[in-house]
Amino acid sequence: MPHRHRPVPYRSIHAVLDARAVAPVFQPLVRLDTGEIIGYEALTRGPAGTPWESPATLFAAARQVGREAELDWLCRAEAYRAALAASLDPSLTLFVNMEPAAWHADCPADLLPLITEAQQRLRVVTEMTERAIAADPSALLAAAESCRRSGWGIALDDVGADPTSLALMPFVQPDVIKLDMGLLRRPRDPHTAHVVGAVLAYAERTGATILAEGIETEEHLAVARAMGAVIGQGWYFGHPGPLPEHATPVREPLRIESARPLSPVTLDRVPTPFETVAAVRPVSRTTKELLIPISRYLENKADESLEPPVLLACFQHERHFTPAVAQRFSRLARHAPFIAVLAAGLTAEPAPGVRGTPLATDDRLCGEWNVIVVSPHYAAALVARDLGDDGADAERRFDYVITHDRSLVLEAARSLMRWITPSARDQAAPAVAPAA
C-alpha cells in the first residue's frame, strides 16, 4: 500500500491565528508557609506537532507578520475561556502574561465577549516585564490602568534578570513581585543580595507580595523563603497542565490593591508634572538663571546614586538641550536604566543612550521645565512653568516647585512618562514571550 502523508492542518502562522489554535496550560502558585494553592499561571502553547508549538516560536512568527498584538489578546482570552469552563473559584487568582504593546490594538471582536465575562467573573493578575516599561512607558501605564479598572492586579515579572527592574518597579506599582529564577540559583551572588534587599524594602513599604519562580528542589524552596518569598512557583509544586476539575477555594486569597486612584488615559486630560505638584505644594517664582543650579544639582544626584536611577527631563525646546547637557545625560545613561528627554524639535536619540521625544510646539509641556530623578532609595523633582517673558534668556521667570515627597515625585514622573513615545529600536525589539 502506498505511503499516504497526513495533511498538515496549519500551513502558516496566519492559519494558526485565524483558527484561534492556541491552548493554555496552567502551573500552580503555592503559598510557601502552608502549601496551599492560591492560583495558577496561564502559559501558552501553539498547535502540537507544528513549528509553532513553542510559545517563543509562536510569538516570533506572529511578530514577523504584524499580528503579535492579536496573538497576545488571543492567549489571554483562551486562558480566560479555560478558567471559566473550569468554574475556577473566585478566591483563586489567575496569572496571565501581557505585552503592553497590545494595549494599542483593539481586542478582536470575536474575543471581546470572553474578555468581558472574565472581567466580571475572574480574579486576575496581569504580568508585565520591566523591558516593556522602558520600551513603551505610555502603553504600559495605560494597560496597568485598564487592569485596575477591572479590579485586577499587576505583577512585575523576572525581577532581578535586569538592573532596570529595580528602578522601574515603582512606576508599575505591582501587587506581586516575581523574583527571577536565576536568583534562586545564585543565592550568594552580591547581585542577588542587592536585588533581594531592594525588593524586600519595596514590599515592606507598599505591601506587595513576593513570589519566587523556578522552585525545583528543597534547596530552592529554602532559599526562596530566606529571600522573603510568600508564594512559590516551579516544578517542585507541579508541571504545567490542565486546570483541576474541582480546585479547592483559598482561605486567604492573594492581596490585590485594585482600588488605587487612576490617572486619566488621554493626553489632553493628563495633568502635567507642574500641574500635578503645584496642586498640592506652594509655588515659588524665580529666574532661569537661579533655577539652573537646582536642575544641575538633581542631575548630579542621579549621577551619584548608588542605585541605577531613572531620569526624566522636559526642556521646552531642543536648543535648551545644549551640547554640555547632552554630554552629562549621555554619561548618566551608561549606568542609568532609563533616561528620557522631551522638547520641541528633539530627535529620537538626542545623545547616546538617551530617549528623546519630540513635542509639538503647541504642546502644554513646551511651557514647562521639569527634571525628575527616581531611584530605589531617592526621589526628587523640579517642576517649573515658563511665565512667557521677553528679554534675556537667563532673566526669564518661572513659577516652580521642588519636592522630595516620593509619592508625589512618582506621580509627576508617571505623568511625564505618558508623553514618551516608543523608539523605533524598541518597537522592533523582540517581545518577551509567555514562559515555557
Side-chain angles (χ1 to χ4, degrees), residues 7-351:
V8 178
Y10 304 107
R11 297 184 180 276
S12 71
I13 184 61
H14 291 294
V16 173
L17 293 174
D18 291 344
R20 302 306 195 216
V22 302
V25 290
F26 300 87
Q27 189 168 38
L29 306 173
V30 175
R31 193 176 295 280
L32 298 184
D33 57 351
T34 64
E36 182 181 34
I37 294 177
I38 60 93
Y40 298 87
E41 180 179 356
L43 307 168
T44 296
R45 300 290 183 266
T50 72
W52 308 284
E53 183 172 358
S54 94
T57 305
L58 180 69
F59 269 79
R63 190 181 311 118
Q64 287 182 341
V65 299
R67 298 181 70 176
E68 181 185 11
E70 179 184 358
L71 174 59
D72 191 80
W73 278 108
L74 175 60
C75 292
R76 283 180 281 134
E78 290 304 317
Y80 302 151
R81 186 195 304 277
L84 291 167
S87 299
L88 193 69
D89 191 90
S91 66
L92 290 159
T93 305
L94 180 68
F95 279 58
V96 296
N97 293 275
M98 178 186 185
E99 281 298 319
W103 175 255
H104 291 307
D106 291 335
C107 176
D110 63 307
L111 303 178
L112 193 56
L114 264 178
I115 302 296
T116 302
E117 186 177 1
Q119 289 173 338
Q120 296 169 348
R121 294 179 51 192
L122 295 178
R123 199 167 192 275
V124 174
V125 166
T126 302
E127 296 189 26
M128 302 174 180
T129 67
E130 87 288 333
R131 187 208 63 81
I133 312 172
D136 194 349
S138 179
L140 180 131
L141 292 176
E145 288 164 7
S146 176
C147 292
R148 300 250 182 247
R149 286 191 177 88
S150 299
W152 291 354
I154 305 292
L156 186 58
D157 200 8
D158 300 330
V159 172
D162 190 294
T164 59
S165 57
L166 297 180
L168 294 170
M169 190 160 52
F171 295 92
V172 184
Q173 296 180 288
D175 300 281
V176 179
I177 304 165
K178 298 190 73 175
L179 297 176
D180 182 72
M181 66 176 64
L183 300 176
L184 294 183
R185 276 73 177 163
R186 300 184 301 274
R188 296 170 184 84
D189 190 297
H191 169 72
T192 297
H194 173 74
V195 170
V196 171
V199 168
L200 286 169
Y202 181 85
E204 182 180 13
R205 186 166 60 243
T206 65
T209 299
I210 301 174
L211 186 155
E213 299 181 284
I215 298 176
E216 298 180 0
T217 66
E218 286 280 357
E219 182 182 359
H220 292 159
L221 177 60
V223 171
R225 285 175 170 156
M227 290 179 174
V230 176
I231 308 297
Q233 176 182 3
W235 291 356
Y236 181 82
F237 302 111
H239 288 248
L243 285 171
E245 292 184 6
H246 303 289
T248 305
V250 182
R251 291 191 299 273
E252 185 182 349
L254 181 71
R255 180 175 177 265
I256 294 177
E257 287 286 340
S258 59
R260 289 177 182 151
L262 300 171
S263 303
V265 172
T266 57
L267 278 185
D268 61 340
R269 295 172 54 206
V270 173
T272 66
F274 179 83
E275 292 167 347
T276 298
V277 178
V280 294
R281 291 290 186 272
V283 176
S284 302
R285 182 167 295 179
T286 192
T287 63
K288 177 179 179 179
E289 182 178 25
L290 295 178
L291 280 181
I292 288 175
I294 301 172
S295 176
R296 181 75 63 86
Y297 170 78
L298 293 184
E299 294 169 23
N300 289 338
K301 290 297 290 185
D303 198 16
E304 296 168 1
S305 176
L306 296 177
E307 307 284 352
V310 171
L311 175 60
L312 309 175
C314 182
F315 286 115
Q316 298 184 275
H317 195 277
E318 59 89 18
R319 64 177 176 271
H320 301 308
F321 191 66
T322 64
V325 176
Q327 187 176 25
R328 292 200 304 272
F329 275 55
S330 185
R331 186 183 70 250
L332 288 168
R334 294 172 193 164
H335 72 277
F338 190 73
I339 293 186
V341 179
L342 303 90
L346 211 61
T347 61
E349 191 173 8

